[in-house]
Amino acid sequence: TLATTLGAWVRFLGSGRSGFWWVVLGQAMAASGQPLLFNTPAALAAQWFPPSERSFATTIASMANAVGSGIGLSYTPILAGMETSGNATEGSSDGFGQGQAGWRGAEVDVGQEKLADMHGVLLWQAIVASGATVLVIVLFGGGEKRAEQPDGGAGRLWRTVWQCLRDRDFLILVAAFGLGLGVFNG
């Protein structure tokens, strides 16, 4: 969470006309914290919920992560007031304020007004990230473990990993998820 917040502020501070590399640096900083965030639901469930409720808690937290990402990706163009140009004709729209060129292959108007709008969006993202970081630190930082933890350790972890890698159904699930992720992000 801290890397994401610091990255958001670096992106905001570098969002002027000549700050491209600062924005890239901020994005890299934010991205460096993402693997830790994506592993949080299982750790949160293990720390705060009894074993009988951990699967459900992990599912809800994982879905909240995806829903939050969707909301963030949806509101950014709306807040920035971005419109595409290129193949679109004036006044044509697909219902989302986008011309016929759509999102892919369209050029984005980066005039001074739009740059100011994006600067404002990056400020809001940094403020929201800061607020979330403060909430995480206040609510979860340094707290005692609420649920009983099974005795395990590194040996048990590697045995479990090896068992998963030998499980045919698990490998099919990993392959299907990997394909879906690749198609979605490709």
Side-chain angles (χ1 to χ4, degrees):
T1 303
L2 190 59
T4 302
T5 301
L6 290 175
W9 281 107
V10 169
R11 277 193 326 230
F12 165 70
L13 294 173
S15 63
R17 276 217 179 265
S18 60
F20 174 77
W21 290 109
W22 285 105
V23 174
V24 171
L25 175 66
Q27 187 66 26
M29 290 172 68
S32 70
Q34 293 303 309
L36 302 174
L37 286 177
F38 285 128
N39 292 326
T40 302
L44 179 116
Q47 185 172 355
W48 288 79
F49 293 92
S52 62
E53 298 175 2
R54 288 182 186 162
S55 294
F56 184 69
T58 301
T59 301
I60 296 299
S62 296
M63 292 307 299
N65 198 348
V67 168
S69 294
I71 291 169
L73 291 170
S74 298
Y75 85 82
T76 301
I78 294 167
L79 286 178
M82 298 180 85
E83 297 177 15
T84 59
S85 61
N87 296 336
T89 59
E90 198 156 310
S92 65
S93 176
D94 63 0
F96 295 102
Q98 302 300 316
Q100 293 173 350
W103 290 102
R104 295 188 184 266
E107 296 177 13
V108 177
D109 178 11
V110 289
Q112 193 64 34
E113 181 181 320
K114 299 301 180 192
L115 194 59
D117 289 346
M118 186 51 82
H119 191 71
V121 168
L122 292 175
L123 174 62
W124 275 108
Q125 287 178 347
I127 290 170
V128 169
S130 297
T133 300
V134 169
L135 281 175
V136 166
I137 290 170
V138 168
L139 296 176
F140 301 107
E144 60 190 50
K145 294 184 177 181
R146 307 283 178 168
E148 58 187 54
Q149 298 294 309
D151 189 25
R156 182 168 181 250
L157 171 69
W158 290 113
R159 281 193 304 274
T160 304
V161 168
W162 181 247
Q163 184 180 8
C164 287
L165 291 175
R166 293 187 326 200
D167 185 353
R168 179 181 161 270
D169 293 336
F170 177 77
L171 294 175
I172 291 171
L173 181 65
V174 167
F177 180 75
L179 281 171
L181 192 61
V183 167
F184 181 74
N185 290 323

